[in-house]
Amino acid sequence: MDKKDQEFQKKLLSTFKVEAGEHVQALSSGLIELEKSAGTEQRLAIVETVFREAHSLKGAARAVGMAEIETICQRVESAFSALKGKEAELSPGLLDVLHDAVDMLGRLLSFIGSDATGKARPPISELLRRLDRAVVNADARPAKRAPSAPSSAARRPARDLPRAVPEDKPILVDTVRIATGRLDALLFQAEGLLAAKLTAAQRAAEIRETLGALADMKKERARIIASVKAVRHRSGKALRGNGAAGNGAVGNGARANGTGRVDPQSTRLLELVAWESTFIKSYEARLGALAASAEHDQRALAGMVDALLEDMKKALMLPMSSALEVLPKSVRDLARSQGKEVDLRVHGGEIEVDRRILEQMRDPLIHLVRNCVDHGIETPEQRELKGKPPRGTISLTVTQKDGGRIEILVSDDGAGIDLARVEEAAHKLGLAADEDRGSAQPHERLSLVFQSGVSTSPIITDISGRGLGLAIVREKVERLGGTASVESEPGKGSVFRIMLPLTLATFRGVHVRVHDQLFVLPTTHVEQAVRVPRSVVKTVENRETIEWNGQALALVRLADVLELPDRRAPDAPADTLQAVILGAAHKRIAFGVDEIVGEQEILVKPLGKQLSRVRNIAGATVLGTGKAAPILDVPDLLRSAVRVAQAPVATLPGKQEVKAERASILVAEDSITSRALLKNILESAGYKVSTAVDGIDAFSLLKTDRFDLVVSDVEMPRMSGFDLTAKIRADKVLAELPVVLVTALGSQEHRERGIDVGANAYIVKSSFDQSNLLEVVRRLV
């Protein structure tokens, strides 16, 4: 195959991958709907739709030579053909294997156009046998299969296939498929015009300032001319009086000097003034015309840029449903693995949002929904004991708000959040003081769930327990310029509330000056800009405060929070304080600044990978003057302000730093290979590791040596990991020792037994990852 054919094949496969992904998603959604459907007519309609999707994907795969995908689609099509012809009955077993087939299609698609070096393609033979058995077992009669031998035309290379539609009857469509990268490039160029718009506005303002300065000069000039004329008038009057009393040499009343001659200097000055008047009038007229032209051009450019940006943003906006397509399958799989029954309801999926925001929010939304299944929804037995229906409900509601924002609510009707357990977990991590436990406001106590490391799960698993998920959700939301909060009622459920902008690139910002530096604060977090007399600033518990809306707000200097050196001259403090009140997630703080410059639309420029996480800085923008200004990260700024307000702890004289000892870990594993692997991983991370061949050997070592943590297999001779954990918890000396179970037993029953015996973490070997283990160990030691 020559280079031209290779390029053509590459483009063809790229197009197929996009199209096939849409078919796979439609198949997955159809299977979910099929499980929920109750009526016969509704079920038949869904079967027909999914049947057509499988048939279309089969044909597309055949055209590009993807034999494995074509074969799977053939079997799936046969299954739905049997259901459609009532030759087979829908059963849980058939649905399970159909879901597995769709998952396999997705895995095979991931190999297209990607570097699969070192990755083995998943075998499909076992899946095909399961599909055949499922169709046969769904009814007493085997399902009939459609002929699988393709026609000779279908086996031709893709570029030789005949056109499906005659050329004399073209189909007109109102959509076109275009690579998102090209759209991003176009939007980037369009956004660059915003700088030109701001610069044009700046130039028009500078011309108006020049006109103002010229007007001031004219006023001063008129004052000077009046003074000169007054001096000449007085001089001439005095001279005339002297002539009348004397010899009458100057009798014509002309202005003259003491010798009787006209003053040449004042004459030349008045001549120059007359010439200047003519020039200034001409210059003022030309400058006025230039100002009018600049303002007209600025308005025209602003209109065009705004319209272009708005159209480009709309081109990049997608319905929220495009980011939610994976949720039903995720909820179904997780609920089934935990023996729960859950319905997911989505409202407002048609609302369109910037595609870049959707890409960033897909994982956080998946985590929130999975969090509701794992932590919120109870098992059917537990729900019935509480008088609830056996099936739990998770709702995801999207609502468009004023000011170009959207609100996303993820709620469940489960058990709610246990505030006591949240505070206990936060207290162990040093995130909550003893005196604050139980006394803080409910929203302040609930906000602790967003702190890294805080989890109410009794055990760490591959799904939950690390306390990182909600922290990542909040960080992602705040990076997008939004806020995240949570509300919960014990026994009735929880609601996670996320506020986000509709678009990502541009927004309005308040410009403030600190010393000689300009900063930008997003208006979405600005509660109010205030100017108050310094006399109203009060000191409460050694902290400055101001009163705002009837409440005392902490007052900090933005310069102190940003740790800026003060290069100003030591002037006397002004009588008026300028401050900006910033708020996020129920927290508000007043930040004192030197000047509140104004509000303006700005274009956000990312800092790049090298500066992706600079404290208190979210990005930068270029002002109309051409200078760059940092955009401040308000949630980060609020956290930094709290740290600044706290007094530093002084080091006691003579106190020496104690060098921390390496944590000691005991590994109990009967497999020599697994034992060596775990030992190597932990020792490479800097831990001191001892090993035991089974539970009895491990418990003997625990009675003679001191360890900080135990990592144990479950299935071991003489004493299993479950029994070892129970024995550790029953021992008065060892009862608080952390235990991590690493095992191949991944069922919900085994996980629950791990919780019952008191394990701190449960890691399944099928999803084992080296960093996963080390992360858990770092949390527990």
Side-chain angles (χ1 to χ4, degrees):
M1 185 181 291
D2 58 24
K3 186 175 181 180
K4 186 176 181 180
D5 287 341
Q6 288 177 350
E7 288 296 323
F8 175 79
Q9 184 70 10
K10 185 177 180 180
K11 291 181 179 179
L12 194 64
L13 288 175
S14 177
T15 302
F16 166 75
K17 186 175 182 179
V18 175
E19 178 190 357
E22 295 173 355
H23 286 307
V24 169
Q25 184 56 55
L27 286 169
S28 178
S29 300
L31 290 175
I32 295 293
E33 291 300 318
L34 198 57
E35 284 184 306
K36 296 179 180 178
S37 63
T40 304
E41 292 185 4
Q42 181 185 13
R43 180 169 291 182
L44 287 175
I46 296 172
V47 167
E48 176 67 21
T49 301
V50 180
F51 176 78
R52 290 176 179 271
E53 292 289 345
H55 182 77
S56 299
L57 179 55
K58 182 187 73 173
R62 179 184 298 168
V64 296
M66 302 300 296
E68 290 177 317
I69 294 178
E70 179 189 356
T71 303
I72 295 175
C73 288
Q74 176 69 49
R75 297 294 205 279
V76 173
E77 186 181 0
S78 298
F80 280 101
S81 178
L83 290 173
K84 184 180 176 183
K86 298 182 180 180
E87 298 173 350
E89 294 293 332
L90 194 65
S91 65
L94 178 58
L95 282 169
D96 286 342
V97 72
L98 287 173
H99 274 292
D100 291 342
V102 173
D103 290 341
M104 179 64 75
L105 290 172
R107 292 174 63 189
L108 292 173
L109 285 178
S110 67
F111 280 82
I112 299 177
S114 62
D115 183 10
T117 304
K119 298 180 181 178
R121 295 177 69 86
I124 67 171
S125 55
E126 177 59 27
L127 174 65
L128 297 178
R129 285 192 291 270
R130 289 178 57 207
L131 279 167
D132 291 340
R133 289 197 300 267
V135 174
V136 172
N137 295 335
D139 191 76
R141 295 166 295 173
K144 295 180 180 179
R145 290 188 190 172
S148 59
S151 65
S152 58
R155 287 299 184 184
R156 297 175 191 167
R159 60 179 181 272
D160 296 332
L161 289 175
R163 293 179 60 88
V165 181
E167 289 185 12
D168 59 341
K169 293 182 180 180
I171 294 179
L172 300 178
V173 294
D174 59 355
T175 60
V176 62
R177 192 185 299 276
I178 184 171
T180 55
R182 294 185 181 181
L183 280 178
D184 288 339
L186 289 174
L187 178 62
F188 181 78
Q189 295 178 47
E191 289 171 346
L193 293 175
L194 182 60
K197 167 189 166 182
L198 296 176
T199 301
Q202 180 71 23
R203 296 295 175 266
E206 290 172 354
I207 294 175
R208 287 194 296 271
E209 290 176 1
T210 305
L211 271 174
L214 184 61
D216 292 340
M217 186 186 76
K218 285 178 63 179
K219 291 179 182 179
E220 181 64 19
R221 184 173 168 281
R223 187 187 64 79
I224 295 173
I225 291 174
S227 299
V228 171
K229 288 182 176 180
V231 170
R232 282 177 61 92
H233 178 71
R234 287 195 298 270
S235 299
K237 186 175 181 180
L239 185 60
R240 288 194 300 272
N242 291 335
N247 56 15
V250 186
N252 57 6
R255 295 176 182 176
N257 55 20
T259 62
R261 297 193 302 270
V262 175
D263 184 3
Q265 292 183 351
S266 60
T267 301
R268 285 195 298 271
L269 178 60
L270 290 176
E271 290 174 351
L272 178 62
V273 166
W275 178 84
E276 281 183 346
S277 297
T278 304
F279 174 78
I280 289 176
K281 287 180 180 178
S282 173
Y283 186 78
E284 186 178 28
R286 292 173 59 190
L287 195 59
L290 181 61
S293 177
E295 290 177 355
H296 175 271
D297 292 345
Q298 184 266 329
R299 287 193 297 269
L301 179 62
M304 289 188 291
V305 170
D306 291 344
L308 177 60
L309 276 176
E310 188 65 25
D311 289 342
M312 282 304 305
K313 288 175 184 176
K314 289 179 180 178
L316 276 173
M317 294 180 80
L318 295 173
M320 278 293 301
S321 57
S322 61
L324 310 178
E325 292 173 339
V326 298
L327 292 181
K329 180 75 162 56
S330 178
V331 169
R332 175 205 180 261
D333 292 345
L334 181 56
R336 286 178 66 87
S337 70
Q338 297 188 352
K340 298 177 180 179
E341 299 176 3
V342 184
D343 285 333
L344 174 65
R345 298 174 182 174
V346 178
H347 308 279
E350 71 282 356
I351 294 177
E352 293 189 337
V353 184
D354 192 319
R355 179 183 61 82
R356 294 164 294 182
I357 291 179
L358 291 182
E359 289 177 351
Q360 294 293 319
M361 284 303 300
R362 182 176 281 107
D363 289 342
L365 290 177
I366 290 174
H367 178 81
L368 285 178
V369 171
R370 288 173 65 88
N371 189 80
C372 291
V373 177
D374 190 39
H375 291 287
I377 302 297
E378 311 94 331
T379 63
E381 297 78 14
Q382 292 171 332
R383 292 179 64 84
E384 287 179 348
L385 288 175
K386 297 178 180 180
K388 297 181 178 180
R391 294 188 69 87
T393 301
I394 298 174
S395 297
L396 193 152
T397 305
V398 184
T399 308
Q400 189 163 346
K401 298 291 185 179
D402 295 335
R405 296 181 301 162
I406 58 168
E407 179 185 68
I408 303 175
L409 298 180
V410 180
S411 61
D412 65 75
D413 62 349
I417 298 175
D418 190 331
L419 284 177
R421 291 174 64 183
V422 170
E423 286 185 316
E424 181 66 27
H427 174 67
K428 289 181 179 178
L429 295 171
L431 300 173
D434 285 334
E435 58 270 19
D436 295 335
R437 295 176 67 183
S439 61
Q441 295 295 322
H443 67 265
E444 294 176 345
R445 300 166 67 190
L446 278 171
S447 65
L448 292 171
V449 300
F450 292 108
Q451 296 289 338
S452 179
V454 175
S455 175
T456 59
S457 177
I459 189 171
I460 301 175
T461 67
D462 54 328
I463 298 174
S464 63
R466 296 175 179 83
L468 297 175
L470 291 180
I472 294 173
V473 169
R474 185 184 69 172
E475 183 177 343
K476 285 261 187 157
V477 170
E478 291 178 351
R479 280 289 170 187
L480 293 172
T483 59
S485 60
V486 61
E487 304 163 13
S488 182
E489 187 172 352
K492 294 187 178 180
S494 305
V495 178
F496 289 91
R497 188 184 306 273
I498 294 175
M499 297 293 293
L500 288 169
L502 278 173
T503 57
L504 187 61
T506 60
F507 61 84
R508 299 195 67 81
V510 175
H511 294 219
V512 298
R513 182 177 61 82
V514 178
H515 305 339
D516 56 353
Q517 175 67 53
L518 285 176
F519 295 94
V520 178
L521 296 164
T523 54
T524 53
H525 292 292
V526 176
E527 300 282 347
Q528 190 176 355
V530 296
R531 289 176 173 85
V532 296
R534 287 191 177 272
S535 58
V536 305
V537 178
K538 299 179 181 180
T539 302
V540 179
E541 297 180 354
N542 295 324
R543 299 178 186 178
E544 289 187 325
T545 64
I546 62 172
E547 186 175 345
W548 180 74
N549 287 350
Q551 59 176 321
L553 289 184
L555 171 66
V556 296
R557 267 61 180 177
L558 185 57
D560 295 338
V561 177
L562 297 177
E563 301 177 13
L564 297 178
D566 193 348
R567 300 187 180 94
R568 298 174 303 173
D571 299 329
D575 294 333
T576 303
L577 170 71
Q578 299 189 51
V580 180
I581 298 172
L582 303 179
H586 304 288
K587 184 184 297 182
R588 292 180 177 85
I589 295 178
F591 289 81
V593 298
D594 293 329
E595 182 186 3
I596 299 172
V597 180
E599 182 184 0
Q600 191 178 53
E601 185 180 21
I602 59 173
L603 173 65
V604 182
K605 295 288 187 180
L607 298 177
K609 294 182 179 179
Q610 298 87 347
L611 301 174
S612 61
R613 192 63 184 94
V614 178
R615 183 159 52 92
N616 300 323
I617 304 297
T621 188
V622 178
L623 305 176
T625 58
K627 295 182 178 180
I631 301 172
L632 299 182
D633 185 331
V634 173
D636 212 6
L637 205 63
L638 293 172
R639 290 188 285 271
S640 297
V642 173
R643 288 193 292 268
V644 168
Q646 295 173 345
V649 180
T651 305
L652 295 177
K655 184 176 181 180
Q656 297 180 350
E657 183 181 356
V658 179
K659 186 176 180 179
E661 295 183 4
R662 289 194 303 165
S664 181
I665 298 176
L666 174 62
V667 174
E669 171 65 70
D670 61 319
S671 168
I672 297 176
T673 303
S674 298
R675 190 164 64 241
L677 174 63
L678 291 171
K679 187 174 188 293
N680 181 63
I681 291 173
L682 294 169
E683 285 184 337
S684 298
Y687 297 106
K688 181 181 177 182
V689 182
S690 300
T691 59
V693 298
D694 58 27
I696 290 180
D697 187 20
F699 195 74
S700 299
L701 289 173
L702 289 172
K703 299 298 287 185
T704 57
D705 295 329
R706 190 193 70 81
F707 295 95
D708 298 295
L709 181 136
V710 174
V711 176
S712 175
D713 187 17
V714 170
E715 294 182 302
M716 296 185 293
R718 298 202 296 170
M719 182 185 290
S720 71
F722 289 143
D723 294 337
L724 173 62
T725 305
K727 201 169 181 63
I728 290 173
R729 293 291 173 255
D731 189 283
K732 292 182 179 180
V733 178
L734 304 173
E736 299 298 323
L737 182 65
V739 178
V740 177
L741 296 179
V742 181
T743 175
L745 303 176
S747 69
Q748 183 64 20
E749 178 184 354
H750 289 107
R751 295 173 193 265
E752 291 178 353
R753 188 176 176 191
I755 296 175
D756 293 339
V757 297
N760 298 86
Y762 195 97
I763 300 177
V764 181
K765 288 182 179 179
S766 62
S767 59
F768 176 78
D769 182 87
Q770 175 176 329
S771 60
N772 209 8
L773 172 65
L774 294 177
E775 175 196 321
V776 171
V777 170
R778 279 193 293 269
R779 284 201 61 233
L780 295 175
V781 297

